[in-house]
């Protein structure tokens, strides 16, 4: 292959036509270096409808009436897996065993032991693992990281708060897979709490907390699935973080980081208000104005623009990693499974604390 030829695109197979898969199909069409090779559903008709509805070329996209057929498709490099959480171990391990790289929807597993089975399968097969926490890939996130790492602007982080909730309608609360104990038993904790936990870990550079204590009186449905909950996390050096997540309150996606020198606020961290532009604010060395009638200095606003939406940047980054393995003999990037595992470990501890009536749960480092 001559050097000026563009590398072969990385070809994705979509396993299951969940509603989130629509967003990812669009991302795969937008992302340079990626293509949709196949769609698999429990019926070929459903796969055909999904392809037609989402602008996929029905002539070039393979349409499969079983999940197995996607895994057996030699044209597929990467499997994107948006199936209910209870099916992740079965299909993710099967995909890895067939040598497919893996983009796994969150929550990645029902517990860390299940996730470890998935990661072990990926490791054994030498395939790349990545979860689909899209905001990790937004350029705003990198810009916020620069500021968080700037000891002068923020100082030492002491307090973190995160909220992610949305107001689900009656149909969702009755019928969505995220409220069904046999499909997505983690409910709101797995669906939206995942993001809060990830944000908190991101802010502290993935240092695991020492102790987790769930907030009291979580809200559950009649099947015992969580509709609203939260927790406080404690670190050995005195940092604390609190998060709340819910299906029952207005759409909110906040991170507040409070350091000795400064404070960072972002109010749309999971999905920015607009695709092309995202902002955050930093208040640094803030003081009372004279007579305490205002602030001095005022917080600064930072705007970060992007041509591609964050989910397309995620697909592009995964495609880059896969290309390196497939075409250049590279090794999988270990950062992504490590971050996923830490998120899952904290999520497990929160769930354990909830199940024990808000007892403290220690996390072994």
């Amino acid at each position: 292959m001559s050097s000026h030829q563009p590398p072969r695109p990385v070809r994705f197979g979509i396993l299951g036509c969940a509603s989130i898969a629509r967003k990812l199909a669009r991302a795969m069409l937008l992302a340079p270096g990626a293509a949709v090779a196949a769609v698999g559903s429990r019926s070929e008709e459903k796969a055909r409808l999904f392809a037609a509805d989402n602008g996929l070329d029905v002539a070039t996209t393979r349409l499969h009436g079983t999940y197995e057929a996607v895994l057996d498709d030699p044209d597929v490099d990467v499997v994107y897996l948006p199936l209910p959480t209870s099916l992740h171990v079965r299909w993710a391990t099967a995909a890895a065993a067939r040598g497919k790289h893996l983009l796994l929807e969150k929550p990645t597993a029902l517990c860390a032991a299940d996730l470890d089975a998935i990661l072990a399968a990926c490791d054994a097969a030498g395939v790349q693992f990545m979860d689909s926490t899209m905001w990790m890939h937004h350029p705003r996130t990198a810009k916020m990281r620069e500021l968080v790492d700037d000891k002068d602007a923020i100082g030492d982080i002491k307090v973190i708060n995160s909220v992610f909730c949305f107001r689900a309608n009656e149909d969702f609360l009755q019928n969505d897979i995220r409220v069904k104990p046999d499909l997505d038993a983690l409910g709101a904790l797995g669906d939206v709490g995942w993001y809060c936990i990830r944000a908190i870990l991101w802010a502290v550079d993935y240092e695991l907390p020492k102790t987790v204590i769930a907030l009291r009186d979580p809200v559950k449905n009649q099947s015992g699935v969580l509709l609203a909950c939260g927790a406080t996390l404690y670190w050995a050096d005195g940092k604390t973080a609190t998060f709340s997540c819910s299906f029952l309150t207005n759409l909110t996606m906040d991170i507040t980081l409070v350091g000795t020198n400064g404070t960072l606020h972002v109010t749309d961290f999971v999905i920015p208000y607009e695709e092309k532009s995202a902002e955050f604010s930093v208040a640094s060395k803030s003081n009372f104005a004279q007579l305490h009638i205002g602030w001095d200095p005022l917080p600064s606003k930072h705007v970060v623009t992007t041509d591609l939406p964050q989910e397309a940047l995620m697909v592009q980054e995964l495609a880059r990693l896969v290309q390196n393995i497939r075409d250049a003999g590279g090794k999988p990037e270990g950062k992504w499974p490590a971050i996923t595992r830490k998120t899952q470990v904290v999520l497990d501890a929160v769930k354990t604390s909830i199940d024990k009536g808000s007892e403290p749960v220690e996390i072994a480092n």
Side-chain angles (χ1 to χ4, degrees):
M1 190 159 89
S2 67
S3 57
H4 60 261
Q5 266 188 308
R8 281 188 299 130
V10 167
R11 295 153 313 185
F12 284 75
I14 298 172
L15 208 62
C17 302
S19 57
I20 187 71
R22 297 172 57 91
K23 184 172 182 175
L24 264 288
R26 173 175 176 260
M28 290 163 196
L29 294 175
L30 290 171
V36 181
V39 176
S41 187
R42 284 167 296 184
S43 78
E44 198 181 320
E45 187 47 38
K46 214 173 143 193
R48 185 178 310 283
L49 275 171
F50 178 90
D53 281 352
N54 291 284
L56 303 178
D57 185 344
V58 183
T60 57
T61 310
R62 306 259 264 266
L63 306 172
H64 297 297
T66 67
Y67 299 152
E68 285 283 350
V70 177
L71 304 190
D72 288 332
D73 190 329
D75 273 352
V76 171
D77 296 309
V78 186
V79 166
Y80 167 59
L81 211 158
L83 299 173
T85 313
S86 60
L87 298 175
H88 284 189
V89 173
R90 180 183 167 190
W91 291 106
T93 54
R98 306 270 215 309
K100 308 300 187 192
H101 304 274
L102 193 61
L103 180 60
L104 185 59
E105 209 31 86
K106 34 55 55 186
T108 47
L110 293 171
C111 62
D114 283 0
L115 176 64
D116 284 343
I118 294 170
L119 297 182
C122 290
D123 213 30
V127 296
Q128 182 66 51
F129 173 93
M130 186 185 279
D131 73 42
S132 70
T133 311
M134 301 168 185
W135 72 272
M136 305 300 306
H137 302 270
H138 197 290
R140 172 177 64 181
T141 306
K143 191 71 195 161
M144 292 194 301
R145 162 97 295 136
E146 276 174 36
L147 269 142
V148 170
D149 289 344
D150 177 356
K151 287 296 179 214
D152 186 57
I154 303 292
D156 299 321
I157 290 175
K158 296 294 185 187
V159 175
I160 306 166
N161 285 325
S162 181
V163 179
F164 183 14
C165 49
F166 62 87
R167 178 84 180 268
N169 63 25
E170 210 40 56
D171 179 56
F172 179 105
L173 293 173
Q174 295 302 321
N175 303 312
D176 197 89
I177 65 166
R178 287 166 281 186
V179 300
K180 301 291 185 195
D182 55 328
L183 296 173
D184 262 308
L186 295 169
L189 176 60
D191 189 47
V192 282
W194 173 274
Y195 291 98
C196 299
I197 292 168
R198 172 64 59 85
I200 290 164
L201 288 170
W202 172 85
V204 300
D205 223 3
Y206 304 102
E207 179 196 345
L208 284 171
K210 189 177 63 134
T211 313
V212 170
I213 305 177
L215 304 182
R216 291 177 62 177
D217 303 323
V219 182
K220 299 177 179 180
N221 68 11
Q222 284 164 329
S223 310
V225 176
L226 291 161
L227 302 180
C229 63
T232 302
L233 286 50
Y234 300 85
W235 280 261
D237 64 1
K239 285 192 293 285
T240 62
T242 301
F243 78 88
S244 298
C245 61
S246 172
F247 291 152
L248 306 173
T249 41
N250 188 56
L251 184 60
T252 303
M253 319 178 164
D254 289 359
I255 306 173
T256 302
L257 306 181
V258 187
T260 44
N261 291 348
T263 308
L264 182 145
H265 283 113
V266 55
T267 55
D268 57 351
F269 82 97
V270 179
I271 298 174
Y273 298 134
E274 299 170 37
E275 267 199 336
K276 301 275 184 191
S277 155
E279 59 185 56
F280 63 98
S281 73
V282 175
S284 191
K285 306 193 174 104
S286 313
N287 247 307
F288 299 105
Q290 274 188 319
L291 298 181
H292 288 202
I293 54 171
W295 291 44
D296 182 38
L298 293 173
S300 58
K301 192 168 92 168
H302 301 255
V303 180
V304 181
T305 57
T306 177
D307 288 335
L308 286 173
Q310 57 186 6
E311 60 275 14
L313 293 169
M314 174 178 74
V315 168
Q316 182 180 20
E317 174 59 9
L318 180 54
R320 185 185 71 81
L321 293 171
V322 168
Q323 248 162 17
N324 181 45
I325 297 165
R326 184 191 68 189
D327 304 336
K331 292 273 176 284
E333 167 66 74
K335 169 180 102 167
W336 295 110
I339 290 171
T340 302
R341 188 170 195 284
K342 285 185 171 182
T343 310
Q344 188 82 44
V345 163
V346 174
L347 192 143
D348 278 23
V350 174
K351 181 74 167 66
T352 303
S353 181
I354 288 170
D355 292 344
K356 291 184 169 179
S358 297
E359 270 184 34
V361 174
E362 305 293 320
I363 293 181
N365 249 322

